[in-house]
Amino acid sequence: MTFAPPTDGTSALGGEQVRGEQALGGEQATWTGLPRPAAAYIAALNAGDPDAVAACVTEDFRNEHASPAGRGCVGRAAYRERLPGFLAAFPGLRYVPDADPVAAGDRVAVPYLMTASMPEGALRIRGLWLLTLRAGLVAHRVDYWDSGAVPAGSRPADGAATPEGTAAAD
C-alpha cells in the first residue's frame, strides 16, 4: 500500500504536516507528511532530552528491534531509564529523513538516517521505524537498523553504545 500525503497541509493521521529538522551540514531536511506525534518524538530525540522523549510515548509503550544487537523494552518508565545511556553513547545524535514516511491508519513507516559524532569518526546508520500511534503518542516502535554500522570499539561490554543496547533505548 502506498500513501500520498495530503496537499492541504494536514497529515493522514490528523493535524499539520511537520517540516523536519536541519540535517548535518545545514541543509534543510523535510519529513513530508509526518504525523505530529512522530515529529514530536523525533524532535525530542534530536534535542537529546530524555524526559521529552519519554513524554512522546504511551505508558505501555513497546520498543522492539529487528537488529540482533538491539534490546527492546516495555513501558515508558523502562524506556526513560535507558535513554540517558543511549544519548550519551551517541554525541551529536541526529535523525534526518532518508525518504518520505508512509502512513496508513494509525501506523507510519519512517525511513531515517541516524548520525552521531563518535570518537572513531562520523557515524551514519540507515534505518526504518514502524510506529503505531495512539492518543497523540507513540505506542509501539519496531526499529530496523544495521547493527554492523556501529564500530565494535564503540560498544561497551553491556551494549550501551548500540542504538538499542542495554543502557540505550532511543
Side-chain angles (χ1 to χ4, degrees), residues 88-109:
F90 294 99
L93 175 72
R94 299 291 293 165
Y95 287 96
V96 296
D98 197 30
D100 287 339
V102 178
D106 64 352
R107 303 207 47 192
V108 60

Side-chain angles (χ1 to χ4, degrees), residues 50-51 53-63 73-84 166-167 169:
D51 291 325
V53 175
C56 292
V57 303
T58 61
E59 287 289 334
D60 63 344
F61 174 66
R62 288 187 354 219
N63 183 30
C73 65
V74 176
R76 179 188 289 158
Y79 186 62
R80 169 59 181 89
E81 185 177 312
R82 292 175 165 197
L83 285 166
T166 300

Side-chain angles (χ1 to χ4, degrees), residues 28-51:
Q28 182 66 32
T30 302
W31 300 89
T32 303
L34 190 63
R36 186 162 296 284
Y41 178 70
I42 294 166
L45 283 165
N46 284 346
D49 183 340
D51 291 325

